[in-house]
Amino acid sequence: GSGYLVYPNPAHGLVNVVVAAGSTGVRILGTALTGKTVADKSVSESNGAAVSIDLGGAAPGVYIMKINASTGSYTTKVTID
């Protein structure tokens, strides 16, 4: 695995992001396809636990979740329904 996990997908508002334990300088950015930022969360160091991102205020649709960390970057799509 890549050490990254984003679930559930599709989601109803709350998205969980798991970043490999030991990753530092973690930044999770959620953007709409229009480019609008809907989530921006930073974690100094991941312990491997899920980080909850609340997209409850986001309109239904497809969003890009981009995760940057010391261990690399990962991008995936999440559907909010």
mmCIF file with all atom_site columns, all heavy atoms in Angstrom, residues 54-75:
data_model
loop_
_atom_site.group_PDB
_atom_site.id
_atom_site.type_symbol
_atom_site.label_atom_id
_atom_site.label_alt_id
_atom_site.label_comp_id
_atom_site.label_asym_id
_atom_site.label_entity_id
_atom_site.label_seq_id
_atom_site.pdbx_PDB_ins_code
_atom_site.Cartn_x
_atom_site.Cartn_y
_atom_site.Cartn_z
_atom_site.occupancy
_atom_site.B_iso_or_equiv
_atom_site.pdbx_formal_charge
_atom_site.auth_seq_id
_atom_site.auth_comp_id
_atom_site.auth_asym_id
_atom_site.auth_atom_id
_atom_site.pdbx_PDB_model_num
ATOM 1   N N   . ASP A 1 54 ? -14.165 17.280 8.117  1.00 0.00 ? 54 ASP A N   1
ATOM 2   C CA  . ASP A 1 54 ? -15.602 17.516 8.005  1.00 0.00 ? 54 ASP A CA  1
ATOM 3   C C   . ASP A 1 54 ? -15.918 18.255 6.711  1.00 0.00 ? 54 ASP A C   1
ATOM 4   O O   . ASP A 1 54 ? -15.593 19.427 6.572  1.00 0.00 ? 54 ASP A O   1
ATOM 5   C CB  . ASP A 1 54 ? -16.090 18.317 9.215  1.00 0.00 ? 54 ASP A CB  1
ATOM 6   C CG  . ASP A 1 54 ? -17.609 18.456 9.232  1.00 0.00 ? 54 ASP A CG  1
ATOM 7   O OD1 . ASP A 1 54 ? -18.273 17.882 8.325  1.00 0.00 ? 54 ASP A OD1 1
ATOM 8   O OD2 . ASP A 1 54 ? -18.130 19.112 10.135 1.00 0.00 ? 54 ASP A OD2 1
ATOM 9   N N   . LEU A 1 55 ? -16.513 17.540 5.777  1.00 0.00 ? 55 LEU A N   1
ATOM 10  C CA  . LEU A 1 55 ? -16.944 18.160 4.521  1.00 0.00 ? 55 LEU A CA  1
ATOM 11  C C   . LEU A 1 55 ? -18.456 18.303 4.500  1.00 0.00 ? 55 LEU A C   1
ATOM 12  O O   . LEU A 1 55 ? -19.066 18.386 3.447  1.00 0.00 ? 55 LEU A O   1
ATOM 13  C CB  . LEU A 1 55 ? -16.480 17.315 3.324  1.00 0.00 ? 55 LEU A CB  1
ATOM 14  C CG  . LEU A 1 55 ? -14.974 17.176 3.140  1.00 0.00 ? 55 LEU A CG  1
ATOM 15  C CD1 . LEU A 1 55 ? -14.667 16.308 1.929  1.00 0.00 ? 55 LEU A CD1 1
ATOM 16  C CD2 . LEU A 1 55 ? -14.323 18.529 2.989  1.00 0.00 ? 55 LEU A CD2 1
ATOM 17  N N   . GLY A 1 56 ? -19.057 18.313 5.698  1.00 0.00 ? 56 GLY A N   1
ATOM 18  C CA  . GLY A 1 56 ? -20.508 18.394 5.803  1.00 0.00 ? 56 GLY A CA  1
ATOM 19  C C   . GLY A 1 56 ? -21.091 19.641 5.181  1.00 0.00 ? 56 GLY A C   1
ATOM 20  O O   . GLY A 1 56 ? -22.230 19.652 4.743  1.00 0.00 ? 56 GLY A O   1
ATOM 21  N N   . GLY A 1 57 ? -20.296 20.723 5.129  1.00 0.00 ? 57 GLY A N   1
ATOM 22  C CA  . GLY A 1 57 ? -20.785 21.964 4.543  1.00 0.00 ? 57 GLY A CA  1
ATOM 23  C C   . GLY A 1 57 ? -20.597 22.020 3.041  1.00 0.00 ? 57 GLY A C   1
ATOM 24  O O   . GLY A 1 57 ? -21.011 22.973 2.392  1.00 0.00 ? 57 GLY A O   1
ATOM 25  N N   . ALA A 1 58 ? -19.963 21.001 2.482  1.00 0.00 ? 58 ALA A N   1
ATOM 26  C CA  . ALA A 1 58 ? -19.691 20.989 1.046  1.00 0.00 ? 58 ALA A CA  1
ATOM 27  C C   . ALA A 1 58 ? -20.898 20.459 0.279  1.00 0.00 ? 58 ALA A C   1
ATOM 28  O O   . ALA A 1 58 ? -21.596 19.569 0.742  1.00 0.00 ? 58 ALA A O   1
ATOM 29  C CB  . ALA A 1 58 ? -18.469 20.117 0.760  1.00 0.00 ? 58 ALA A CB  1
ATOM 30  N N   . ALA A 1 59 ? -21.131 21.028 -0.888 1.00 0.00 ? 59 ALA A N   1
ATOM 31  C CA  . ALA A 1 59 ? -22.234 20.571 -1.729 1.00 0.00 ? 59 ALA A CA  1
ATOM 32  C C   . ALA A 1 59 ? -21.934 19.174 -2.255 1.00 0.00 ? 59 ALA A C   1
ATOM 33  O O   . ALA A 1 59 ? -20.767 18.801 -2.389 1.00 0.00 ? 59 ALA A O   1
ATOM 34  C CB  . ALA A 1 59 ? -22.413 21.543 -2.899 1.00 0.00 ? 59 ALA A CB  1
ATOM 35  N N   . PRO A 1 60 ? -22.971 18.381 -2.548 1.00 0.00 ? 60 PRO A N   1
ATOM 36  C CA  . PRO A 1 60 ? -22.731 17.063 -3.129 1.00 0.00 ? 60 PRO A CA  1
ATOM 37  C C   . PRO A 1 60 ? -21.919 17.184 -4.414 1.00 0.00 ? 60 PRO A C   1
ATOM 38  O O   . PRO A 1 60 ? -22.086 18.135 -5.175 1.00 0.00 ? 60 PRO A O   1
ATOM 39  C CB  . PRO A 1 60 ? -24.137 16.544 -3.424 1.00 0.00 ? 60 PRO A CB  1
ATOM 40  C CG  . PRO A 1 60 ? -25.014 17.278 -2.456 1.00 0.00 ? 60 PRO A CG  1
ATOM 41  C CD  . PRO A 1 60 ? -24.400 18.641 -2.323 1.00 0.00 ? 60 PRO A CD  1
ATOM 42  N N   . GLY A 1 61 ? -21.042 16.234 -4.632 1.00 0.00 ? 61 GLY A N   1
ATOM 43  C CA  . GLY A 1 61 ? -20.217 16.262 -5.836 1.00 0.00 ? 61 GLY A CA  1
ATOM 44  C C   . GLY A 1 61 ? -18.895 15.570 -5.605 1.00 0.00 ? 61 GLY A C   1
ATOM 45  O O   . GLY A 1 61 ? -18.699 14.878 -4.602 1.00 0.00 ? 61 GLY A O   1
ATOM 46  N N   . VAL A 1 62 ? -17.974 15.749 -6.544 1.00 0.00 ? 62 VAL A N   1
ATOM 47  C CA  . VAL A 1 62 ? -16.667 15.108 -6.483 1.00 0.00 ? 62 VAL A CA  1
ATOM 48  C C   . VAL A 1 62 ? -15.629 16.116 -6.002 1.00 0.00 ? 62 VAL A C   1
ATOM 49  O O   . VAL A 1 62 ? -15.608 17.270 -6.449 1.00 0.00 ? 62 VAL A O   1
ATOM 50  C CB  . VAL A 1 62 ? -16.271 14.551 -7.867 1.00 0.00 ? 62 VAL A CB  1
ATOM 51  C CG1 . VAL A 1 62 ? -14.876 13.939 -7.826 1.00 0.00 ? 62 VAL A CG1 1
ATOM 52  C CG2 . VAL A 1 62 ? -17.292 13.513 -8.327 1.00 0.00 ? 62 VAL A CG2 1
ATOM 53  N N   . TYR A 1 63 ? -14.797 15.676 -5.083 1.00 0.00 ? 63 TYR A N   1
ATOM 54  C CA  . TYR A 1 63 ? -13.750 16.527 -4.519 1.00 0.00 ? 63 TYR A CA  1
ATOM 55  C C   . TYR A 1 63 ? -12.397 15.831 -4.641 1.00 0.00 ? 63 TYR A C   1
ATOM 56  O O   . TYR A 1 63 ? -12.319 14.608 -4.645 1.00 0.00 ? 63 TYR A O   1
ATOM 57  C CB  . TYR A 1 63 ? -14.053 16.835 -3.041 1.00 0.00 ? 63 TYR A CB  1
ATOM 58  C CG  . TYR A 1 63 ? -15.280 17.695 -2.905 1.00 0.00 ? 63 TYR A CG  1
ATOM 59  C CD1 . TYR A 1 63 ? -16.549 17.132 -2.873 1.00 0.00 ? 63 TYR A CD1 1
ATOM 60  C CD2 . TYR A 1 63 ? -15.177 19.076 -2.864 1.00 0.00 ? 63 TYR A CD2 1
ATOM 61  C CE1 . TYR A 1 63 ? -17.685 17.919 -2.803 1.00 0.00 ? 63 TYR A CE1 1
ATOM 62  C CE2 . TYR A 1 63 ? -16.309 19.876 -2.794 1.00 0.00 ? 63 TYR A CE2 1
ATOM 63  C CZ  . TYR A 1 63 ? -17.555 19.294 -2.757 1.00 0.00 ? 63 TYR A CZ  1
ATOM 64  O OH  . TYR A 1 63 ? -18.674 20.083 -2.697 1.00 0.00 ? 63 TYR A OH  1
ATOM 65  N N   . ILE A 1 64 ? -11.359 16.625 -4.745 1.00 0.00 ? 64 ILE A N   1
ATOM 66  C CA  . ILE A 1 64 ? -10.000 16.102 -4.811 1.00 0.00 ? 64 ILE A CA  1
ATOM 67  C C   . ILE A 1 64 ? -9.388  16.223 -3.417 1.00 0.00 ? 64 ILE A C   1
ATOM 68  O O   . ILE A 1 64 ? -9.374  17.312 -2.829 1.00 0.00 ? 64 ILE A O   1
ATOM 69  C CB  . ILE A 1 64 ? -9.127  16.926 -5.797 1.00 0.00 ? 64 ILE A CB  1
ATOM 70  C CG1 . ILE A 1 64 ? -9.817  17.058 -7.156 1.00 0.00 ? 64 ILE A CG1 1
ATOM 71  C CG2 . ILE A 1 64 ? -7.730  16.318 -5.919 1.00 0.00 ? 64 ILE A CG2 1
ATOM 72  C CD1 . ILE A 1 64 ? -9.949  15.792 -7.935 1.00 0.00 ? 64 ILE A CD1 1
ATOM 73  N N   . MET A 1 65 ? -8.893  15.113 -2.892 1.00 0.00 ? 65 MET A N   1
ATOM 74  C CA  . MET A 1 65 ? -8.192  15.129 -1.607 1.00 0.00 ? 65 MET A CA  1
ATOM 75  C C   . MET A 1 65 ? -6.712  14.945 -1.900 1.00 0.00 ? 65 MET A C   1
ATOM 76  O O   . MET A 1 65 ? -6.308  13.933 -2.470 1.00 0.00 ? 65 MET A O   1
ATOM 77  C CB  . MET A 1 65 ? -8.688  13.996 -0.703 1.00 0.00 ? 65 MET A CB  1
ATOM 78  C CG  . MET A 1 65 ? -10.157 14.073 -0.346 1.00 0.00 ? 65 MET A CG  1
ATOM 79  S SD  . MET A 1 65 ? -10.636 15.543 0.596  1.00 0.00 ? 65 MET A SD  1
ATOM 80  C CE  . MET A 1 65 ? -9.854  15.194 2.161  1.00 0.00 ? 65 MET A CE  1
ATOM 81  N N   . LYS A 1 66 ? -5.917  15.952 -1.538 1.00 0.00 ? 66 LYS A N   1
ATOM 82  C CA  . LYS A 1 66 ? -4.478  15.881 -1.773 1.00 0.00 ? 66 LYS A CA  1
ATOM 83  C C   . LYS A 1 66 ? -3.767  15.864 -0.427 1.00 0.00 ? 66 LYS A C   1
ATOM 84  O O   . LYS A 1 66 ? -4.016  16.715 0.423  1.00 0.00 ? 66 LYS A O   1
ATOM 85  C CB  . LYS A 1 66 ? -4.013  17.077 -2.613 1.00 0.00 ? 66 LYS A CB  1
ATOM 86  C CG  . LYS A 1 66 ? -2.540  16.983 -2.999 1.00 0.00 ? 66 LYS A CG  1
ATOM 87  C CD  . LYS A 1 66 ? -2.196  18.039 -4.036 1.00 0.00 ? 66 LYS A CD  1
ATOM 88  C CE  . LYS A 1 66 ? -0.708  18.101 -4.292 1.00 0.00 ? 66 LYS A CE  1
ATOM 89  N NZ  . LYS A 1 66 ? -0.159  17.118 -5.179 1.00 0.00 ? 66 LYS A NZ  1
ATOM 90  N N   . ILE A 1 67 ? -2.917  14.877 -0.252 1.00 0.00 ? 67 ILE A N   1
ATOM 91  C CA  . ILE A 1 67 ? -2.192  14.719 1.004  1.00 0.00 ? 67 ILE A CA  1
ATOM 92  C C   . ILE A 1 67 ? -0.710  14.885 0.713  1.00 0.00 ? 67 ILE A C   1
ATOM 93  O O   . ILE A 1 67 ? -0.157  14.197 -0.144 1.00 0.00 ? 67 ILE A O   1
ATOM 94  C CB  . ILE A 1 67 ? -2.456  13.317 1.613  1.00 0.00 ? 67 ILE A CB  1
ATOM 95  C CG1 . ILE A 1 67 ? -3.969  13.103 1.802  1.00 0.00 ? 67 ILE A CG1 1
ATOM 96  C CG2 . ILE A 1 67 ? -1.703  13.160 2.930  1.00 0.00 ? 67 ILE A CG2 1
ATOM 97  C CD1 . ILE A 1 67 ? -4.372  11.656 1.851  1.00 0.00 ? 67 ILE A CD1 1
ATOM 98  N N   . ASN A 1 68 ? -0.087  15.822 1.403  1.00 0.00 ? 68 ASN A N   1
ATOM 99  C CA  . ASN A 1 68 ? 1.360   16.015 1.291  1.00 0.00 ? 68 ASN A CA  1
ATOM 100 C C   . ASN A 1 68 ? 1.982   15.700 2.637  1.00 0.00 ? 68 ASN A C   1
ATOM 101 O O   . ASN A 1 68 ? 1.463   16.104 3.671  1.00 0.00 ? 68 ASN A O   1
ATOM 102 C CB  . ASN A 1 68 ? 1.695   17.457 0.896  1.00 0.00 ? 68 ASN A CB  1
ATOM 103 C CG  . ASN A 1 68 ? 1.350   17.751 -0.549 1.00 0.00 ? 68 ASN A CG  1
ATOM 104 O OD1 . ASN A 1 68 ? 1.809   17.058 -1.450 1.00 0.00 ? 68 ASN A OD1 1
ATOM 105 N ND2 . ASN A 1 68 ? 0.528   18.761 -0.772 1.00 0.00 ? 68 ASN A ND2 1
ATOM 106 N N   . ALA A 1 69 ? 3.102   14.987 2.630  1.00 0.00 ? 69 ALA A N   1
ATOM 107 C CA  . ALA A 1 69 ? 3.783   14.634 3.866  1.00 0.00 ? 69 ALA A CA  1
ATOM 108 C C   . ALA A 1 69 ? 5.250   14.362 3.552  1.00 0.00 ? 69 ALA A C   1
ATOM 109 O O   . ALA A 1 69 ? 5.653   14.318 2.390  1.00 0.00 ? 69 ALA A O   1
ATOM 110 C CB  . ALA A 1 69 ? 3.142   13.404 4.502  1.00 0.00 ? 69 ALA A CB  1
ATOM 111 N N   . SER A 1 70 ? 6.019   14.157 4.610  1.00 0.00 ? 70 SER A N   1
ATOM 112 C CA  . SER A 1 70 ? 7.440   13.865 4.443  1.00 0.00 ? 70 SER A CA  1
ATOM 113 C C   . SER A 1 70 ? 7.641   12.581 3.642  1.00 0.00 ? 70 SER A C   1
ATOM 114 O O   . SER A 1 70 ? 8.674   12.394 3.004  1.00 0.00 ? 70 SER A O   1
ATOM 115 C CB  . SER A 1 70 ? 8.102   13.721 5.818  1.00 0.00 ? 70 SER A CB  1
ATOM 116 O OG  . SER A 1 70 ? 7.476   12.674 6.554  1.00 0.00 ? 70 SER A OG  1
ATOM 117 N N   . THR A 1 71 ? 6.633   11.710 3.669  1.00 0.00 ? 71 THR A N   1
ATOM 118 C CA  . THR A 1 71 ? 6.738   10.418 2.992  1.00 0.00 ? 71 THR A CA  1
ATOM 119 C C   . THR A 1 71 ? 6.279   10.478 1.541  1.00 0.00 ? 71 THR A C   1
ATOM 120 O O   . THR A 1 71 ? 6.267   9.465  0.858  1.00 0.00 ? 71 THR A O   1
ATOM 121 C CB  . THR A 1 71 ? 5.907   9.368  3.750  1.00 0.00 ? 71 THR A CB  1
ATOM 122 O OG1 . THR A 1 71 ? 4.620   9.942  4.031  1.00 0.00 ? 71 THR A OG1 1
ATOM 123 C CG2 . THR A 1 71 ? 6.566   8.970  5.049  1.00 0.00 ? 71 THR A CG2 1
ATOM 124 N N   . GLY A 1 72 ? 5.875   11.657 1.078  1.00 0.00 ? 72 GLY A N   1
ATOM 125 C CA  . GLY A 1 72 ? 5.423   11.802 -0.299 1.00 0.00 ? 72 GLY A CA  1
ATOM 126 C C   . GLY A 1 72 ? 4.040   12.396 -0.379 1.00 0.00 ? 72 GLY A C   1
ATOM 127 O O   . GLY A 1 72 ? 3.479   12.824 0.629  1.00 0.00 ? 72 GLY A O   1
ATOM 128 N N   . SER A 1 73 ? 3.494   12.432 -1.582 1.00 0.00 ? 73 SER A N   1
ATOM 129 C CA  . SER A 1 73 ? 2.156   12.999 -1.744 1.00 0.00 ? 73 SER A CA  1
ATOM 130 C C   . SER A 1 73 ? 1.230   11.979 -2.380 1.00 0.00 ? 73 SER A C   1
ATOM 131 O O   . SER A 1 73 ? 1.674   11.026 -3.028 1.00 0.00 ? 73 SER A O   1
ATOM 132 C CB  . SER A 1 73 ? 2.204   14.275 -2.584 1.00 0.00 ? 73 SER A CB  1
ATOM 133 O OG  . SER A 1 73 ? 2.697   13.990 -3.872 1.00 0.00 ? 73 SER A OG  1
ATOM 134 N N   . TYR A 1 74 ? -0.051  12.197 -2.146 1.00 0.00 ? 74 TYR A N   1
ATOM 135 C CA  . TYR A 1 74 ? -1.075  11.266 -2.613 1.00 0.00 ? 74 TYR A CA  1
ATOM 136 C C   . TYR A 1 74 ? -2.309  12.084 -2.958 1.00 0.00 ? 74 TYR A C   1
ATOM 137 O O   . TYR A 1 74 ? -2.681  12.994 -2.216 1.00 0.00 ? 74 TYR A O   1
ATOM 138 C CB  . TYR A 1 74 ? -1.388  10.251 -1.512 1.00 0.00 ? 74 TYR A CB  1
ATOM 139 C CG  . TYR A 1 74 ? -2.534  9.315  -1.787 1.00 0.00 ? 74 TYR A CG  1
ATOM 140 C CD1 . TYR A 1 74 ? -2.381  8.263  -2.689 1.00 0.00 ? 74 TYR A CD1 1
ATOM 141 C CD2 . TYR A 1 74 ? -3.759  9.445  -1.123 1.00 0.00 ? 74 TYR A CD2 1
ATOM 142 C CE1 . TYR A 1 74 ? -3.426  7.381  -2.932 1.00 0.00 ? 74 TYR A CE1 1
ATOM 143 C CE2 . TYR A 1 74 ? -4.791  8.562  -1.361 1.00 0.00 ? 74 TYR A CE2 1
ATOM 144 C CZ  . TYR A 1 74 ? -4.623  7.530  -2.268 1.00 0.00 ? 74 TYR A CZ  1
ATOM 145 O OH  . TYR A 1 74 ? -5.657  6.661  -2.499 1.00 0.00 ? 74 TYR A OH  1
ATOM 146 N N   . THR A 1 75 ? -2.929  11.787 -4.087 1.00 0.00 ? 75 THR A N   1
ATOM 147 C CA  . THR A 1 75 ? -4.134  12.488 -4.500 1.00 0.00 ? 75 THR A CA  1
ATOM 148 C C   . THR A 1 75 ? -5.201  11.466 -4.846 1.00 0.00 ? 75 THR A C   1
ATOM 149 O O   . THR A 1 75 ? -4.922  10.472 -5.515 1.00 0.00 ? 75 THR A O   1
ATOM 150 C CB  . THR A 1 75 ? -3.846  13.392 -5.729 1.00 0.00 ? 75 THR A CB  1
ATOM 151 O OG1 . THR A 1 75 ? -2.799  14.292 -5.405 1.00 0.00 ? 75 THR A OG1 1
ATOM 152 C CG2 . THR A 1 75 ? -5.085  14.187 -6.120 1.00 0.00 ? 75 THR A CG2 1
#
